[in-house]
Structures are given as C-alpha cells and as structure tokens.
Amino acid sequence: MRLPLENDDEPPDRDRSGEQRALIGLSLVSGIGPQRLRALLAAFDTPSAVFRASRSALTKVDGVGDQTAEAILTFDDRAAVEDEMERAQELGAELVSPWDERFPDRLREIYDPPAYLWMRGSLPATDEPMVTVVGTRRCTDYGRAQAHHFGAELVRRGFTVVSGLAYGIDAAAHKGALDAGGRTIAVLGSGVGRIYPQKHTALAERITENGAVLSEYALDAEPDAPNFPERNRILSGLALGTLVVESYSEGGALITARLAVEQNREVFAIPGAVTKDSSRGTNRLIQRGHAKLVMEMEDLLEELPEVTVEEPDEVDADTVTTGSGPDPEELSGDARVLYDALSDTPVHVDQLCEETDLDPSSALPTLLKLEFKGLVRQLAGKQFRRS
C-alpha cells in the first residue's frame, strides 16, 4: 500500500486548511481506523476526494464495506472537526500529513505507513539518522542503566533516539538522550493529548522541547491495548536500527524487533545474565541470529552509516569560571567509593568492582550518574576514568 508522496503531482491545495480539515474529518468517521484511512488515501489521493467519492467507488477499497461507506457519505460533523483543531491549538499540536515535507522519509518506505501524525514539538530533518531503543517496562537496574547510557551515547554520536515513553527501558532511553543534551522522539499508543503513562507527562514535556511526541491516533485517544503493537511499526520504521536493551521472552520490544527485520532495518540487543528472565528475550534474539550483540557503542556504529558530529566550539580558558562544576568532595556513599578508586588511568568496570567490593548492578548506575555530573568519563570496552 502506498501513500501519496510530496512529489506525486498532487493538487496545489493539499496543504490548505480545507484538506487538513478533511483529513481530520476522515479520522473521526465511525469505523475508520489507521488501516482503512491509509487505504482510502491510497485509492483517492486526497482526503477531500474521499468525501466526494461515490458509494460504489468507496466499497471497492479494501476493508471498506457498505456500513463504512455510509458513514463517510453521511459524515457532516463540522463541529467535531473544529473542536479537534481547537484542541490541537490548545495542545500546541500540528498535523503532519504524508505530503508534508516534515513527514519522515523512512516512514514512507515501510509497507503500512501512518496516514498522518499528530506532533507536539518538532521533527529533525528527514535525513537525520535515528536509532530506536526499546525494552521491558519491568526492567532491572542493569537494564535501566544501559538504556540511559546508550541513549546518551547515541545523541553524542549524532543520532536522534526514538522510544515509546513507557515505564522502564523506554523512559531511561529518553532521559539518557535528554540528559546528554540531545534530541529524542516518543511515539505513543494514545493521543498526544492523552499522555500515557500519566506519570510521564513531565517527561513528555521535556521531549517536546528537545524533539517530538508523535501519534497516529486522535488527539485524546485512549491508550487501548491494540494500539501499542500497532504503533511499534512506527518506532522501528523511523530508525536505521532498533536496540533491544532488556526483554522477557514475550513483549512489545520483541514485536518491534520483528517489525524492524521485516522493514529491513538493523536489530541490536544487549545481552544479560542467563539466569534473569528479564534478559531471556534479548539473549534469544542474539542466539537465533536476529540481532547483533552489543556491548559498546562501536558495536552499533559498525552497522550504521557514519554520522558527522559537530565538535563544540573551543572555549577560551580565560572565560571559564573556576569552581562552578560539581565538587567531588560533596560525594558520598558508593559514588564517593567509586570516585576515590578511579584515576586518570582507565580501568575496566569489573576490576573497579573488585577493588571496591561493589556489585556491577549498583556500580554501573552510580558511574553513569558520575558521568553526567562531569566527574567520570566512560571509554570503549566499559572502561572508566576521572574526567
């Protein structure tokens, strides 16, 4: 199924408010979900043309029967369309249609692209590389630390991080990208006016300031269970590759990985302890050859196009105010122990744990916190040193 593209000899008025209203109207017609909407746009090219079509023409479209055709022909709820547009203005949301130049090019390539996207925030340039990071909601401290770390490292290497705003791995990946000063995109299984989970409302606001929150559902659509596996094709479709950080033997992250394979995208997975159920899914992906094993950023970069990252402007030493950074003397607990054990010479985390008698599951999150404070730097191969 093919959506109309920006250069497909479209009518000159496609971006006029009339077509925007027609598209919103179609999305509000009873019985029309994302799949039928895609089919209708593929058949009739523009939203307004769907409303002008005859009953016989409508019923020739896959999935459109007499009942749906009747709903289209009799739809005249202008008030509902205006309410949706007013709600969008209230939320600061924009409708990104398939013929909009902001519509991600990689999404156009997949078999079943969304018919439109509601967006809060802003999308990067269509050629900017993205990597999707997903995993279980019921993650371990190890998984959460890895998701945060790779979210941060990806943006430092010039990538935008994509995830689903869920508890656990998703949230950690978003926060890692944001904490490192980068861009991240959240794809929802609800409307952009109905943030789910609600506890991530503040995180969603942070994301809109440094990226975008996207959904193919109506602005205030509820987070219905079928929406989440359906939206996963957008998670994988936006990106060059998908990194599964931690997953049980079943779950949405594995669905996203499968969709990435079907979309001819790279799939990566971080291994975990064989005794942990939370790593059974990721370990199986690696075992069956469905994902490349990842231990450090270089493992991803070997499979992805090279990205040019602009180096920050050199700071004049005379303009630097001393004493404004984090003070190591204020550290306590495990952070104090780990920092004291480090020096300018890189040391592997296993050796560091042996010297400090700390478990890696507690040492790694603490080291990452020290890294974000600018006190510690992580090098390739899980080696750490003082900054």
Side-chain angles (χ1 to χ4, degrees):
M1 188 176 299
R2 182 189 68 84
L3 285 177
L5 300 184
E6 184 183 352
N7 58 357
D8 279 355
D9 298 323
E10 70 271 25
D13 64 348
R14 266 190 169 175
D15 287 321
R16 288 173 56 182
S17 60
E19 290 296 342
Q20 294 278 318
R21 283 173 165 78
L23 183 56
I24 293 171
L26 271 180
S27 72
L28 297 175
V29 172
S30 176
I32 294 186
Q35 292 183 353
R36 284 178 178 164
L37 185 50
R38 288 194 299 271
L40 287 163
L41 288 179
F44 296 103
D45 202 36
T46 66
S48 60
V50 177
F51 282 114
R52 293 195 301 266
S54 65
R55 183 185 303 273
S56 61
L58 289 170
T59 54
K60 289 178 182 177
V61 177
D62 287 344
V64 178
D66 288 333
Q67 186 174 354
T68 304
E70 178 68 16
I72 295 170
L73 292 168
T74 58
F75 181 82
D76 191 30
D77 197 344
R78 297 178 184 273
V81 174
E82 294 304 318
D83 287 346
E84 192 81 346
M85 295 196 72
E86 288 178 10
R87 176 64 171 148
Q89 187 172 9
E90 176 186 329
L91 291 168
E94 297 180 74
L95 189 70
V96 182
S97 56
W99 50 85
D100 191 315
E101 62 181 10
R102 296 172 298 176
F103 195 91
D105 285 341
R106 292 186 188 91
L107 276 188
R108 301 186 196 277
E109 300 169 358
I110 68 175
Y111 168 72
D112 49 356
Y116 66 86
L117 293 166
W118 279 113
M119 174 182 71
R120 292 175 62 190
S122 61
L123 285 164
T126 55
D127 59 348
E128 184 169 321
M130 305 183 197
V131 171
T132 294
V133 181
V134 292
T136 179
R137 292 170 172 80
R138 297 174 292 144
C139 67
T140 64
D141 288 342
Y142 164 79
R144 185 177 291 106
Q146 292 300 317
H148 192 284
H149 167 68
F150 278 95
E153 281 300 298
L154 281 163
V155 300
R156 290 186 183 124
R157 304 297 184 100
F159 294 90
T160 293
V161 171
V162 180
S163 198
L165 201 67
Y167 289 119
I169 297 300
D170 288 16
H174 287 305
K175 290 174 183 176
L178 293 169
D179 290 346
R183 182 193 297 271
T184 184
I185 293 173
V187 184
L188 306 184
S190 60
V192 298
R194 175 73 165 78
I195 299 299
Y196 180 83
Q198 189 174 3
K199 287 184 177 180
H200 285 172
T201 300
L203 176 58
E205 291 300 322
R206 284 185 68 192
I207 292 171
T208 61
E209 295 170 3
N210 299 275
V213 174
L214 304 176
S215 175
E216 66 175 326
Y217 302 105
L219 289 169
D220 290 309
E222 295 289 329
D224 291 336
N227 294 356
F228 292 91
E230 186 174 48
R231 69 86 195 261
N232 288 355
R233 77 191 195 286
I234 301 177
L235 284 173
S236 56
L238 280 167
L240 295 169
T242 291
L243 172 65
V244 184
V245 175
E246 203 171 42
S247 174
Y248 289 79
S249 56
E250 294 182 355
L254 298 184
I255 295 174
T256 307
R258 175 179 57 79
L259 290 166
V261 171
E262 293 175 358
Q263 294 165 348
N264 198 28
R265 309 296 162 86
E266 301 290 343
V267 180
F268 308 92
I270 294 176
V274 296
T275 56
K276 293 285 189 181
D277 287 343
S278 56
S279 291
R280 189 167 295 275
T282 46
N283 290 346
R284 288 295 187 198
L285 283 174
I286 295 166
Q287 181 190 51
R288 294 168 180 169
H290 297 159
K292 177 177 179 177
L293 186 150
V294 169
M295 294 188 294
E296 56 194 38
M297 266 300 299
E298 281 64 25
D299 298 328
L300 282 94
L301 298 179
E302 286 175 358
E303 308 298 330
L304 298 174
E306 184 176 350
V307 179
T308 302
V309 182
E310 292 186 9
E311 294 293 333
D313 294 336
E314 192 171 319
V315 179
D316 186 343
D318 294 336
T319 66
V320 177
T321 303
T322 58
S324 59
D327 185 359
E329 297 302 320
E330 297 177 358
L331 297 175
S332 60
D334 289 351
R336 175 84 262 168
V337 172
L338 288 164
Y339 184 81
D340 287 345
L342 289 168
S343 67
D344 294 336
T345 302
V347 58
H348 192 275
V349 66
D350 290 343
Q351 182 182 339
L352 192 60
C353 289
E354 186 177 337
E355 292 176 0
T356 59
D357 201 27
L358 291 172
D359 188 88
S361 63
S362 59
L364 277 171
T366 304
L367 287 165
L368 288 172
K369 290 177 182 177
L370 290 171
E371 183 179 2
F372 294 124
K373 288 180 178 180
L375 296 173
V376 167
R377 182 167 182 184
Q378 181 174 183
L379 307 176
K382 291 288 185 292
Q383 297 195 79
F384 294 85
R385 66 170 176 82
R386 289 188 182 183
S387 294

